[in-house]
């Protein structure tokens, strides 16, 4: 490779972006989720800008700041992604020195601008909640413009010295940047001179921007919480706090990976370089993708405008309550998207009308149920299906690759990897049970599902989810034996014992969940056959039954405790014993190395149990949570863990990672 040389020079004409060191053979695969995130970010932010520009009802301070945030997100993601895809797809690693400095300036300057806009949005929430009567007089259009200008100028002014400081250093070691884009510290580390001035200035700027902004945001939310908790009723407090939910989510999405990336670059020597770089890319790609989704889903005004853009109806409930629905849309040849949405909507109305007319008769055992998807977001189904489909494909590819690698490599025929295979099979069954029907509903408006098929879906989803919990417990037991009794690990966890444990988990899930479909079958459904969900979920069916359901609810609660509850308690007990053993080890390195073997398992447990417990508890005790939030969390619970489990174990487990690279690499095999 002619560019990759170490010839002495002080003012290189080009830098070479290496990509992700150690993962060069995986660039083409890594580019798929990165490209998907960029495409979603482009569509989402442009759509947000269009909605806010065309709807006068959204010409308010919060939405003006959201428009500025969307523009900033577009600049940030577009500054890195096209060049990154050139590196990943075409091996075009070279970047002009001045172009590198320009990219560096745009990335860091607009990251600072985004932080400032988050402060501005916190100010808007503070005034709206703590001083609502003066909100419109304080945050006038001119004040909003001035606040946005200050955020922009602050980012530009404070980051302008960066490229000049980088330009003045000699680069006599190498021109190879081990990164996917020109990041300030990655470039500065190549200089063959004392770079303490750059490091110090960078640290001062970070403190001035992020430190000050986080302090201001925290202060505003302290004042907001004081005002909220002084309100007289619980409903008023919850309603007021809910107006801040989107902003809090966006703050966490932006600051957590950003701060982690910054601190590990300067103070951590133990974290692998590819982890640094992946986090740095997540920091620049995930917030621009999630911000429009978070605000679009959680903000009532935007959500209503999106629905109105696609489908104008006299009453949204008319789809289910009336045989005819009046639709008045612009179907000119210059508006093909609206024309297509109208045709899809008309077909859906006809289908639901026929179903409802047939169901008007008293029917305690319907032959079919109707899944309506996510209530209130029907017009956005086609957009929601894109990330769901991408996540499902990643889950399929990841788990199938994991099964193939473990099956074909005899060195991986160990207890941990065998339990991981069982978990991968359960993950494939869970997501494949739900997603194909979900995509048919979102793409073709085919929400009809036979009664028996619905009960089968309930059984498979809940039983396999229970099996996943059992496999987590089995993997925790494997970690306990490997750390607390390492000399007897192979003698205790033989292949026959592993097979018996897997069979026990399978039988427990099958036996305890088998009554679910029978309990549902005995119930009459004389109210409606419409399920407000994307799949047949046990509690969603219970809620439409016209009979006493205390037995079904009690049995479901008992099973949840006997499976998820008991498993979680036993996992905690195993980790208490593991920590007791680890902290008795003589050296710090030995303790860190031993705990590192549990990292993947802990990550997988958190990814799986957190949405599961939230979904379970809110279904039974949460009456203030919106239905679409219930359904989103339920789908995340079924889709995200199957996608993340192979990624977590593949990236963090050296044996699997080495075999994965060997399998996809066309170079000589790894030793």
């Amino acid at each position: 490779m002619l560019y990759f040389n170490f010839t002495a020079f002080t003012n290189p004409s080009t830098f070479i972006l290496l990509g992700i060191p150690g993962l060069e053979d995986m660039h083409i695969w890594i580019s798929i989720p990165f490209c998907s995130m960029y495409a979603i970010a482009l569509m989402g932010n442009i759509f947000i800008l269009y909605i806010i520009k065309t709807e006068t009802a959204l010409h308010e301070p919060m939405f003006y700041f959201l428009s500025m945030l969307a523009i900033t997100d577009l600049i940030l993601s577009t500054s890195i992604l096209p060049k990154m895809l050139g590196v990943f797809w075409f091996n075009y690693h070279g970047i002009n020195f001045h172009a590198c400095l320009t990219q560096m300036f745009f990335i860091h300057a607009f990251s600072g601008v985004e932080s400032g806009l988050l402060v501005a949005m916190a100010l808007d929430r503070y005034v709206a909640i703590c001083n609502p009567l003066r909100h419109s007089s304080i945050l006038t259009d001119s004040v909003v413009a001035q606040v946005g200008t200050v955020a922009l100028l602050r980012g530009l002014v404070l980051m302008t010295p960066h490229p000049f400081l980088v330009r003045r250093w000699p680069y006599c070691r190498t021109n190879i940047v081990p990164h996917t884009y020109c990041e300030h510290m990655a470039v500065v580390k190549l200089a063959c001179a004392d770079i303490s001035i750059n490091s110090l200035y960078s640290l001062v700027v970070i403190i001035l921007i992020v430190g000050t902004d986080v302090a201001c945001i925290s202060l505003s939310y302290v004042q907001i919480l004081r005002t909220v908790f002084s309100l007289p009723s619980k409903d008023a407090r919850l309603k007021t706090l809910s107006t801040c939910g989107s902003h809090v989510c966006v703050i966490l999405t932006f600051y957590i990976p950003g701060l982690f990336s910054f601190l590990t670059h300067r103070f951590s020597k133990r974290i692998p370089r590819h982890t640094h770089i992946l986090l740095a890319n997540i920091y620049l790609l995930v917030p621009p993708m999630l911000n429009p989704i978070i605000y679009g889903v959680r903000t009532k005004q935007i959500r209503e405008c999106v629905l109105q853009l696609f489908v104008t109806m006299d009453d949204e409930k008319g789809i289910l309550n009336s045989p005819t629905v009046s639709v008045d849309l612009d179907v000119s040849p210059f508006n093909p998207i609206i024309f297509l949405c109208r045709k899809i909507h008309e077909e859906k109305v006809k289908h639901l009308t026929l179903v409802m007319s047939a169901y008007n008769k008293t029917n305690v055992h319907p032959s079919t149920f109707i899944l309506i998807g996510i209530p209130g977001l029907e017009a956005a189904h086609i957009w929601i299906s894109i990330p769901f489909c991408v996540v499902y494909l990643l889950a399929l590819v990841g788990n199938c690759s994991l099964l193939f690698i473990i099956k074909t490599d005899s060195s991986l025929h160990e207890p941990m990897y065998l339990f991981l295979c069982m978990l991968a099979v359960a993950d494939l069954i869970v997501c494949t049970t739900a997603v194909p029907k979900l995509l048919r509903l979102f793409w073709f408006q085919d929400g009809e599902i036979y009664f028996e098929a619905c009960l089968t879906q309930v059984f498979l989803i809940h039983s396999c989810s229970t099996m996943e919990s059992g496999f987590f417990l089995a993997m925790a037991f494997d970690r306990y034996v490997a750390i607390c009794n390492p000399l007897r690990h192979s003698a205790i966890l033989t292949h026959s014992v592993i097979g018996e444990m897997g069979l026990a988990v399978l039988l427990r899930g099958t036996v305890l969940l088998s009554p679910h479909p029978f309990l549902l079958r005995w119930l009459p459904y004389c109210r409606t056959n419409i399920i407000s969900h994307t799949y047949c979920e046990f509690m969603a069916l219970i809620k439409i039954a016209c009979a006493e359901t205390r037995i079904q609810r009690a049995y479901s609660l008992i099973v949840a405790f006997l499976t998820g509850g008991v498993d979680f308690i036993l996992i905690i007990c195993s980790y208490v014993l593991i920590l007791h053993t680890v902290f008795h080890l003589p050296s710090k390195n030995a303790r860190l190395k031993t705990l590192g073997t549990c990292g993947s398992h802990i990550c997988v447990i958190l990814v799986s149990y957190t949405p599961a417990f939230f979904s379970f508890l809110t279904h039974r005790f949460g009456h203030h949570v919106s239905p679409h939030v219930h359904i989103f969390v339920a789908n995340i619970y079924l889709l995200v863990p199957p996608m993340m489990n192979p990624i977590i174990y593949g990236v963090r487990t050296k044996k699997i990672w080495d075999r994965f690279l060997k399998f996809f690499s066309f170079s000589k095999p790894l030793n």
Side-chain angles (χ1 to χ4, degrees), residues 45 52-53 87 142 172 198 206 262 265 291 313 403 424 446 483 513 574-575 593 626 637 664:
N45 286 289
I52 294 173
K53 181 180 183 298
V87 173
S142 61
C172 51
N198 286 67
I206 288 293
F262 170 78
H265 248 308
N291 291 351
M313 297 177 287
L403 289 170
D446 182 11
I483 293 172
L513 274 301
S574 71
Y575 272 100
K593 187 176 180 181
S626 303
Y637 166 56
F664 284 103

Side-chain angles (χ1 to χ4, degrees), residues 346 384 534:
E346 288 174 350
I384 298 170
T534 54

Side-chain angles (χ1 to χ4, degrees), residues 52 68 152 161 458 542 599 649:
I52 294 173
M68 299 175 195
L152 176 64
V458 168
I542 287 290
Y649 271 96

Side-chain angles (χ1 to χ4, degrees), residues 61 210 269 400 410 448 626:
V210 177
K269 308 298 181 185
C400 290
S410 57
E448 195 170 2
S626 303

Side-chain angles (χ1 to χ4, degrees), residues 27-28 30-36 38 80-92 180:
H27 278 174
I28 193 68
I30 296 170
S31 70
I32 297 172
F34 281 8
C35 185
S36 301
Y38 179 55
I80 66 161
L81 221 290
K83 179 60 189 175
M84 187 193 303
L85 294 180
V87 173
F88 286 176
W89 289 349
F90 309 112
N91 292 320
Y92 181 60
T180 54

